[in-house]
C-alpha cells in the first residue's frame, strides 16, 4: 500500500510531463509489475495472507512468481472463510507444501524451520521439483481420465500420491 501511494505521485507527474492519463496508467502498471517481480526475486521468501473468502489477486500472482523462483512460501490464515465451502484451494495451499500457519507469531518460526532444514532457493533444483509435480500430476490425471466411465481405482490413485 505504501508503494502504491508513492507510485500515484509518479502517475500525476507523468501526466504533468505530457503523457495522457491512459499512457501514464499503462507506464505505472508496468513499473509496478517490474518492481514487484524484482522485490520477490530479491527476497528470501514470501508470506501469503490468505485471510478472507477469496485471496487478493495481486498476492496470488506474487505467490506464483515466488513459487516459480523456488522461494519458500509461508501461508498465514486464521480466518475460516473460504471460497470452497471451508476448504482452501489446493492450488494455493500447495504453494506452501500444504502448510498453513494460523498464528502470526509462528511465521518467523516456520521460516527458521525451512532455512534450518537446508532450504536454499535455487532455480535449478527447483526446476527438478516442478518436473516432479508435473510427472506426478500426469500419472494422477491418467488414472482419473482412464476411469471416468468406471469407478475410479482409489487405491491406485492414492498410491501415486504417496510416491
Amino acid at each position: 500500500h505504501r508503494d502504491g501511494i508513492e507510485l500515484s505521485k509518479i502517475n500525476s507527474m507523468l501526466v504533468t510531463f505530457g503523457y495522457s492519463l491512459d499512457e501514464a496508467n499503462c507506464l505505472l502498471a508496468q513499473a509496478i509489475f517490474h518492481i514487484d517481480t524484482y522485490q520477490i526475486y530479491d527476497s528470501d521468501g514470501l508470506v501469503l495472507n490468505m485471510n478472507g473468502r477469496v485471496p487478493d489477486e495481486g498476492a496470488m500472482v506474487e505467490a506464483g512468481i515466488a513459487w516459480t523462483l523456488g522461494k519458500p512460501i509461508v501461508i498465514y490464515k486464521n480466518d475460516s472463510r473460504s471460497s470452497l465451502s471451508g476448504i482452501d484451494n489446493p492450488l494455493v495451499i500447495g504453494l506452501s507444501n500444504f502448510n498453513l500457519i494460523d498464528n502470526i507469531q509462528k511465521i518467523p518460526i516456520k521460516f527458521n524451520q525451512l532455512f534450518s532444514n537446508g532450504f536454499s532457493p535455487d532455480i535449478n533444483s527447483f526446476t527438478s521439483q516442478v518436473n516432479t509435480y508435473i510427472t506426478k500430476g500426469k500419472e494422477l490425471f491418467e488414472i482419473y481420465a482412464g476411469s471416468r466411465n468406471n469407478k475410479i481405482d482409489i487405491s491406485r490413485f492414492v498410491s501415486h500420491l504417496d510416491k
Side-chain angles (χ1 to χ4, degrees), residues 20-87:
S20 73
L21 185 56
D22 287 343
E23 291 170 326
N25 286 338
C26 184
L27 290 170
L28 183 59
Q30 291 176 39
I32 291 168
F33 183 81
H34 286 85
I35 290 168
D36 285 0
T37 301
Y38 166 73
Q39 288 176 329
I40 296 163
Y41 170 80
D42 195 44
S43 72
D44 292 327
L46 183 120
V47 176
L48 175 59
N49 184 346
M50 283 274 296
N51 283 329
R53 190 184 67 75
V54 179
D56 174 76
E57 65 272 12
M60 296 311 308
V61 172
E62 290 172 341
I65 292 169
W67 188 79
T68 301
L69 292 172
K71 304 287 182 171
I73 299 170
V74 173
I75 297 179
Y76 169 71
K77 183 172 182 173
N78 69 351
D79 182 344
S80 62
R81 293 177 290 170
S82 75
S83 60
L84 299 174
S85 303
I87 300 169

Side-chain angles (χ1 to χ4, degrees), residues 17 26 42 44 47 58 67 72 82 85 94 100 105 108-109 116 119 124 144 150-152 155:
F17 290 142
C26 184
D42 195 44
D44 292 327
V47 176
W67 188 79
S82 75
S85 303
L100 297 175
Q105 275 76 30
I109 295 168
S116 69
F119 189 95
N124 294 324
Y144 175 75
N150 307 318
K151 195 171 187 178
I152 187 168
S155 61

Side-chain angles (χ1 to χ4, degrees), residues 3 6 9 11 31 34 39 46 53 68 92 98 113 117 129-130 137 139-140 143 151 158 160 162:
D3 294 341
E6 293 300 312
K9 291 178 183 175
N11 194 16
H34 286 85
Q39 288 176 329
L46 183 120
R53 190 184 67 75
T68 301
V92 176
F98 300 92
Q113 287 173 345
N117 289 338
Q129 183 182 3
V130 171
E139 292 169 359
L140 291 167
I143 293 169
K151 195 171 187 178
V158 170
H160 275 74
D162 291 335

